[in-house]
């Protein structure tokens, strides 16, 4: 009989978190549906959300006969969201939607646009996601509202995706990362970018995004290292039979 490894409770929990995406880290987050979102009065929040929805509605695919959004429409939405943010600088949802608008602008104008302009757009996108996370993250052990949790889950996952894309681009020969990586991260290596992505995916999963939970496991450097060791051991064992 093969003896079982003597793992401490903590070691077992670490291994479970490394390899099991269903070991939902969101269990550590207390969500209280009675809390006011972002400290706003419900009536005030409803007014902000209504105005915000009106701004972003033209960005929806169904709003265009071609299924794509014109750059001028995206720029108009960015300007309107910027005005909303200027009036309500502590309202994180507006930053999240402006980040989405920057993403649309970046994807729609990747071809035939000056690299310096694209670099500015990606930098603005990262800055807005960072602002969302800064404004919406609760203090340790503090509960948060469902809207706050969803916003944090989406923003961490969005930034994690961008960081992972930047890491993959860095690994490609002769790649130009100005399209996918902000200026302040241009000197960061691919492995570090992937570790940053993994951290964002962890928090995205912690706040409830199921896709982020899966990606956190796939990009976790320790899980990948252990997986490589197991793969090599299996390979050697198989070869020993021949």
């Amino acid at each position: 009989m093969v003896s079982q490894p003597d793992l401490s409770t903590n070691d077992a929990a670490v291994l479970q978190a490394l390899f099991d995406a269903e070991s939902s880290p969101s269990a550590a987050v207390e969500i209280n549906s009675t809390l006011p979102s972002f400290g706003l009065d419900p009536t005030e929040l409803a007014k902000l959300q209504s105005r915000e929805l009106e701004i972003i509605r033209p960005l929806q695919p169904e709003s265009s006969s071609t299924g794509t959004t014109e750059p001028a429409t995206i720029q108009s939405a960015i300007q309107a969201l910027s005005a909303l943010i200027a009036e309500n600088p502590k309202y994180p949802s507006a930053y999240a939607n402006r980040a989405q608008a920057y993403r649309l602008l970046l994807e729609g104008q990747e071809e035939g646009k000056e690299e310096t302009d694209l670099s500015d757009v990606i930098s603005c996108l990262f800055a807005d996601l960072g602002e969302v996370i800064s404004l919406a993250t609760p203090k340790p052990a503090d509960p948060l509202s469902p809207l706050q949790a969803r916003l944090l889950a989406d923003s961490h996952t969005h930034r994690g995706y961008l960081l992972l894309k930047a890491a993959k681009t860095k690994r490609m020969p002769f790649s130009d990362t100005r399209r996918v990586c902000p200026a302040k991260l241009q000197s960061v290596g691919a492995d570090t970018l992937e570790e940053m992505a993994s951290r964002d995916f962890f928090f995205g999963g912690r706040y409830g995004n199921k896709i982020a939970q899966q990606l956190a496991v796939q990009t976790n450097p320790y899980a990948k290292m252990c997986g490589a060791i197991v793969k090599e051991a299996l390979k050697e064992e198989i070869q020993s039979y021949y």
Side-chain angles (χ1 to χ4, degrees), residues 44-64:
E44 183 183 358
L45 177 62
K47 289 180 180 178
L48 281 173
Q49 289 177 322
S50 177
R51 182 176 168 188
E52 194 175 12
L53 182 60
E54 184 179 350
I55 292 172
I56 65 173
R57 187 175 287 116
L59 302 181
Q60 305 302 320
E62 58 270 20
S63 299
S64 170

Side-chain angles (χ1 to χ4, degrees), residues 3-65:
S3 62
Q4 297 296 318
D6 185 15
L7 295 177
S8 68
T9 302
N10 182 65
D11 288 341
V14 169
L15 286 175
Q16 178 78 354
L18 281 174
F19 295 106
D20 183 7
E22 296 304 317
S23 60
S24 175
S26 60
V29 175
E30 181 185 348
I31 297 177
N32 187 338
S33 60
T34 65
L35 284 177
S37 296
F38 319 123
L40 293 170
D41 174 85
T43 302
E44 183 183 358
L45 177 62
K47 289 180 180 178
L48 281 173
Q49 289 177 322
S50 177
R51 182 176 168 188
E52 194 175 12
L53 182 60
E54 184 179 350
I55 292 172
I56 65 173
R57 187 175 287 116
L59 302 181
Q60 305 302 320
E62 58 270 20
S63 299
S64 170
S65 58

Side-chain angles (χ1 to χ4, degrees), residues 178-230:
R178 287 177 294 179
R179 294 178 178 272
V180 295
C181 197
K184 66 179 182 179
L185 295 179
Q186 285 295 325
S187 61
V188 177
D191 288 345
T192 301
L193 287 172
E194 187 166 332
E195 289 174 14
M196 292 168 66
S198 182
R199 183 176 183 274
D200 265 323
F201 288 140
F202 169 79
F203 281 106
R206 185 173 188 264
Y207 291 113
N209 189 296
K210 297 296 184 182
I211 295 175
Q213 288 178 18
Q214 297 287 342
L215 289 170
V217 172
Q218 294 174 24
T219 56
N220 185 298
Y222 299 105
K224 290 171 68 177
M225 179 180 67
C226 293
I229 293 172
V230 171

Side-chain angles (χ1 to χ4, degrees), residues 35-109:
L35 284 177
S37 296
F38 319 123
L40 293 170
D41 174 85
T43 302
E44 183 183 358
L45 177 62
K47 289 180 180 178
L48 281 173
Q49 289 177 322
S50 177
R51 182 176 168 188
E52 194 175 12
L53 182 60
E54 184 179 350
I55 292 172
I56 65 173
R57 187 175 287 116
L59 302 181
Q60 305 302 320
E62 58 270 20
S63 299
S64 170
S65 58
T66 62
T68 59
T69 309
E70 292 296 322
T73 303
I74 301 173
Q75 290 283 14
S76 178
I78 289 172
Q79 291 173 5
L81 287 166
S82 296
L84 180 61
I85 288 168
E87 296 170 17
N88 305 273
K90 301 297 184 182
Y91 180 53
S93 181
Y95 292 95
N97 277 309
R98 190 170 67 174
Q100 292 284 9
Y102 280 129
R103 172 89 174 272
L104 286 175
L105 188 65
L106 191 69
E107 292 177 346
Q109 297 190 11

